[in-house]
Amino acid sequence: AVARARVFMRPTVTPSPGGRVARRPAAGHGRDNGAMPTYVAFLRAINLGATRKFAKDAIKTATEAAGGRDVETYINTGNVRLTHSARSVAKVQQQLEQAYAEAAGFEVPTVVFTTAELAAITARGDELHAEHDPGGQHYVTLYASPPSAAAVKAAHALEREGETVVVDGRAAFVLLDGNIHTSRLLASKELAALGKGTARTIKVLRTVTEKWC
């Protein structure tokens, strides 16, 4: 079994004039001069077929209708950066899902993180990537709520040669020596029991973290 680990983010510090070190707020908490916190939303199961098309321009308009500001998108898989007056991830998720359903004409499950949370997830993914050095793909499944302790324990107990899963908070990291089409781990009932989430490659998470966090 793979031991579960937690990542704690250290405060960000920057040098100030005169040589002193001045603390600045973590990303997502006052990065816009205290006006509104910044969030990153990941939309699930869009642009995968003819009946679930949701263009980036439409996503941006719907995000603004939900109260989002300073909206940016990245590629067509549904990655959105926004600021919002709500101070709750759950509240932002609720408002986005309502606006997306109205705009798209179908339900769009959405997973939301503060930029600090996303930065921590990406840092954890990079740690695991360096540790396991997968020869194939590295996917991260993101969840709206943390999987249950029992589901996490069962997933960590899986033993598949060349395949590793580590669940940490609202993210499950799957590192493969092969590919997703031949993966026994990805097809397992234990992984499915973690819940419905939306997956991104570690490369995509690195990119959006560098852009927005």
Side-chain angles (χ1 to χ4, degrees), residues 2 128 155-158 163-167 172-175 185 191 194:
V2 181
L128 292 169
H156 283 172
L158 288 172
E163 302 186 339
T164 301
V165 58
V166 177
V167 185
F173 305 87
V174 175
L175 302 97
L185 192 154
L191 206 68
L194 294 174

Side-chain angles (χ1 to χ4, degrees), residues 175-194:
L175 302 97
L176 307 173
D177 283 341
N179 60 62
I180 59 174
H181 304 294
T182 59
S183 171
R184 293 172 58 211
L185 192 154
L186 289 176
S188 69
K189 64 180 182 181
E190 290 86 355
L191 206 68
L194 294 174

Side-chain angles (χ1 to χ4, degrees), residues 2 14 19-20 31 38 43 52 55 58 67 72 76 84-85 87-88 96 98 100 114 130 146 155 158 194:
V2 181
T14 54
R20 291 186 178 182
R31 64 174 288 180
T38 305
L43 286 60
R52 292 189 63 85
E72 298 179 24
N76 288 324
H84 200 285
S85 60
R87 303 282 167 172
S88 160
L96 289 177
Q98 180 178 344
Y100 292 159
T114 67
L158 288 172
L194 294 174

Side-chain angles (χ1 to χ4, degrees), residues 25-178:
H29 296 277
R31 64 174 288 180
D32 296 298
N33 296 322
M36 291 192 290
T38 305
Y39 300 94
V40 181
F42 297 92
L43 286 60
R44 183 166 71 85
I46 63 166
N47 299 325
L48 298 177
T51 59
R52 292 189 63 85
K53 295 293 185 183
F54 199 12
K56 289 194 293 183
D57 287 346
I59 291 172
K60 182 177 180 180
T61 299
T63 302
E64 291 170 345
R69 297 292 180 266
D70 307 311
V71 180
E72 298 179 24
T73 63
Y74 174 70
I75 63 178
N76 288 324
T77 53
N79 311 291
V80 183
R81 179 261 192 197
L82 66 146
T83 59
H84 200 285
S85 60
R87 303 282 167 172
S88 160
V89 164
K91 185 67 173 178
V92 173
Q93 176 188 333
Q94 179 187 28
Q95 294 187 17
L96 289 177
E97 288 183 334
Q98 180 178 344
Y100 292 159
E102 291 174 356
F106 53 81
E107 297 297 319
V108 184
T110 303
V111 180
V112 179
F113 296 97
T114 67
T115 49
E117 289 172 330
L118 178 58
I121 288 171
T122 302
R124 181 67 173 131
D126 283 337
E127 282 184 0
L128 292 169
H129 200 90
E131 178 182 349
H132 295 280
D133 191 22
Q137 294 163 311
H138 180 177
Y139 279 91
V140 185
T141 300
L142 307 169
Y143 302 97
S145 300
S148 70
V152 172
K153 182 178 180 180
H156 283 172
L158 288 172
E159 294 184 3
R160 301 286 189 271
E161 185 176 357
E163 302 186 339
T164 301
V165 58
V166 177
V167 185
D168 195 341
R170 293 199 287 139
F173 305 87
V174 175
L175 302 97
L176 307 173
D177 283 341

